[in-house]
Amino acid sequence: GENVEQHPSTLSVQEGDSAVIKCTYSDSASNYFPWYKQELGKGPQLIIDIRSNVGEKKDQRIAVTLNKTAKHFSLHITETQPEDSAVYFCAADAGSARQLTFGSGTQLTVLP
Amino acid sequence: KAGVTQTPRYLIKTRGQQVTLSCSPISGHRSVSWYQQTPGQGLQFLFEYFSETQRNKGNFPGRFSGRQFSNSRSEMNVSTLELGDSALYLCASSFSQGAGEQYFGPGTRLTVT
């Protein structure tokens, strides 16, 4: 089955700096890659996603890049703010059935 | 549009008991998936329902079961609870099958003592 690895597990940045979180996946059939943000006491919130026919997608301060050949994708957050502090999860979906396989999460802390 | 709702938000049960959790998807969404979240294992897929049929199942024992009603609301049941079943149970809804956006509810925090 699919295996998703996520790095780093913790990340601290100064407010205003950029943050990058990286994930690799194993199943070449995976074709959908969402990113979720989870704040304490809440469920994961979909913040951006990308499909396998696209190399990059941007939404204001966040962007995701996908390298299908290398089977890795990354989340980029620019101009970080304290409210960006949360746990971020990457995931992959092979599409044959709706089953997201999640990475282990990254605790992002933005220091004021 | 209202988001995914889950009830109850918190539950405390004793080993050996059973529990039923409920999920109401976003209006118009027909697919409901369930996930278990624990500090040790992370987010793991339990099962997915679409049009009242289970379409996919994760690697969990048969004590974990679910169903979906004609209005797309879903329930999951865990029988003969074990201490290791303590977790946050998350429900996610989506419009259709196939790879695409899933929207999560706030979860039900189950504690087994």
Side-chain angles (χ1 to χ4, degrees):
Chain A
E2 175 67 277
N3 182 49
V4 177
E5 294 192 358
Q6 182 172 346
H7 299 281
S9 57
T10 61
L11 179 61
S12 293
V13 299
Q14 290 294 137
E15 182 178 357
D17 287 350
S18 295
V20 180
I21 303 170
K22 299 182 179 182
C23 289
T24 60
Y25 62 99
S26 61
D27 189 349
S28 56
S30 289
N31 55 18
Y32 175 68
F33 307 91
W35 285 88
Y36 286 87
K37 174 184 180 182
Q38 187 173 26
E39 297 174 277
L40 204 59
K42 297 183 178 181
Q45 174 194 2
L46 178 65
I47 57 172
I48 196 167
D49 56 13
I50 192 168
R51 294 184 182 272
S52 58
N53 59 348
V54 176
E56 183 174 359
K57 184 176 178 181
K58 190 173 181 180
D59 182 4
Q60 299 183 347
R61 296 186 298 108
I62 60 174
V64 57
T65 58
L66 171 66
N67 183 327
K68 280 187 62 180
T69 303
K71 293 184 189 172
H72 67 70
F73 56 113
S74 301
L75 177 71
H76 304 252
I77 305 174
T78 60
E79 300 172 18
T80 53
Q81 302 166 3
E83 52 265 38
D84 294 329
S85 296
V87 179
Y88 290 81
F89 291 96
C90 63
D93 188 338
S96 56
R98 189 171 297 281
Q99 176 177 345
L100 288 174
T101 300
F102 284 86
S104 54
T106 296
Q107 174 69 62
L108 173 65
T109 303
V110 180
L111 305 168
Chain B
K1 187 183 279 190
V4 178
T5 58
Q6 292 187 244
T7 56
R9 293 293 312 278
Y10 303 92
L11 265 179
I12 299 175
K13 290 287 188 178
T14 304
R15 271 182 304 175
Q17 289 185 316
Q18 74 166 13
V19 66
T20 299
L21 313 181
S22 181
C23 170
S24 292
I26 293 170
S27 178
H29 284 193
R30 297 170 62 194
S31 171
V32 173
S33 299
W34 289 88
Y35 294 84
Q36 182 195 64
Q37 185 175 28
T38 60
Q41 299 298 317
L43 278 151
Q44 292 186 290
F45 173 77
L46 280 157
F47 29 66
E48 187 246 350
Y49 286 86
F50 182 81
S51 294
E52 302 178 63
T53 302
Q54 185 181 93
R55 303 289 177 155
N56 196 12
K57 190 177 192 309
N59 189 26
F60 279 82
R63 299 185 298 105
F64 292 82
S65 62
R67 59 178 176 168
Q68 186 180 34
F69 302 94
S70 57
N71 61 359
S72 295
R73 191 177 69 85
S74 177
E75 290 181 346
M76 69 163 281
N77 184 78
V78 188
S79 62
T80 320
L81 284 166
E82 300 177 359
L83 295 178
D85 296 333
S86 295
L88 181 67
Y89 290 89
L90 293 158
C91 158
S93 82
S94 52
F95 179 72
S96 61
Q97 278 197 298
E101 297 88 349
Q102 290 190 49
Y103 298 92
F104 283 83
T108 294
R109 172 72 63 186
L110 172 64
T111 301
V112 182
T113 63

